Amino acid sequence: MTFTFVTDQASLNQSLFQVTHGLYIVTSASGDRINGQCLDALMQVTNAPPRMAIGIGTQSLTHEMIVQSGRFVVSVLDRENEACPDVIRRFGFRSGRDVDKFADFEHETTEHGIPYLNDAVAVYECTVIPKMTVDLGTHSLFVASVDRAGTRDGGEPLTYNEYRKRIRKGVNPTMEKWICTVCGYVYDPSVGDPGSGVEPGTTFEDLPDNWVCPVCGVGKDKFEKSA
């Protein structure tokens, strides 16, 4: 089998969609406020003791709450749940700074007041290990201990690749893609720009004025609408 090898950043980023990982809802709380967002940058890093690492955009409200509280909860989405597209739309297509994502949404809370999805495949309660936090510029990498885990029979974890191929068009099929005329990077609203704290569901028009191409760094004025 012949491979096509690429070296430019836009093509490299596109190829990285083949990396297998899940799609989750990560939640946190600070004071009397709660929030959650979609997350795909998660991995288990050790099993003795059990730890995981997550990458969260520094501009997001969830990031702010994790920094303040030092805690977060991960809910594993169930690919067999018919409500999965609605859950992704709720937590990925709106900012918690503008709306209460948990208003009229059934959920449970931990003893620390952090919400989680009661129809998840699994739930992990985590405490950040501050000395292991890494500032990645657009993101923070939080390494955390897994203090408590909830599992149940049935269900199947949703992968990010399956979301991109099967679900995302049904979540919001009308948003248009924009292409960077300098490097060829494609801004896809259904994916957003997690590296810059832009949640899935953010249209190009709604991107902050100071947003720049994550590959080459040019501004929005260098983008053209995809044909």
Side-chain angles (χ1 to χ4, degrees):
M1 182 177 295
T2 302
F3 288 94
T4 300
F5 288 92
V6 297
T7 56
D8 64 284
Q9 290 193 40
S11 297
L12 288 171
N13 284 334
Q14 188 67 28
S15 71
L16 288 172
F17 283 127
Q18 301 305 318
V19 175
T20 302
H21 50 289
L23 187 61
Y24 314 92
I25 304 298
V26 60
T27 51
S28 191
S30 179
D32 59 355
R33 301 183 67 191
I34 58 176
N35 192 58
Q37 68 174 66
C38 291
L39 172 75
D40 65 313
L42 177 151
M43 65 179 294
Q44 180 182 349
V45 289
T46 61
N47 60 1
R51 292 172 177 164
M52 65 171 56
I54 62 172
I56 299 285
T58 56
Q59 298 181 32
S60 72
L61 178 60
T62 307
H63 179 280
E64 181 181 311
M65 291 182 170
I66 293 174
V67 170
Q68 292 171 351
S69 69
R71 300 179 185 275
F72 63 85
V73 174
V74 173
S75 297
V76 180
L77 292 175
D78 183 359
R79 67 181 298 273
E80 298 175 355
N81 186 346
E82 294 181 355
C84 205
D86 294 330
V87 173
I88 296 171
R89 186 181 297 111
R90 174 180 289 266
F91 289 97
F93 283 58
R94 301 183 296 176
S95 170
R97 301 186 190 278
D98 301 325
V99 298
D100 179 359
K101 298 183 184 182
F102 284 96
D104 302 318
F105 182 78
E106 187 174 351
H107 63 280
E108 303 289 343
T109 57
T110 70
E111 63 179 13
H112 298 290
I114 302 176
Y116 61 90
L117 279 59
N118 51 11
D119 58 358
V121 175
V123 174
Y124 304 105
E125 299 180 34
C126 303
T127 300
V128 173
I129 305 171
K131 66 180 181 180
M132 294 184 179
T133 297
V134 181
D135 182 356
L136 301 176
T138 58
H139 272 63
S140 290
L141 180 69
F142 295 110
V143 178
S145 61
V146 180
D147 304 322
R148 199 166 74 127
T151 59
R152 64 175 176 84
D153 293 332
E156 185 73 21
L158 174 68
T159 67
Y160 185 68
N161 278 353
E162 181 176 6
Y163 160 70
R164 292 187 68 248
K165 295 176 181 179
R166 181 176 69 86
I167 297 178
R168 69 173 178 172
K169 290 184 178 180
V171 171
N172 197 330
T174 61
M175 293 188 294
E176 297 174 296
K177 299 178 182 179
W178 289 70
I179 301 175
C180 177
T181 58
V182 176
C183 70
Y185 167 79
V186 178
Y187 176 75
D188 184 345
S190 66
V191 176
D193 179 13
S196 300
V198 178
E199 296 188 350
T202 304
T203 65
F204 185 81
E205 293 80 3
D206 288 337
L207 288 170
D209 292 337
N210 62 352
W211 179 84
V212 297
C213 175
V215 175
C216 69
V218 299
K220 293 173 64 177
D221 60 314
K222 299 299 183 182
F223 279 71
E224 294 180 350
K225 188 180 295 184
S226 177

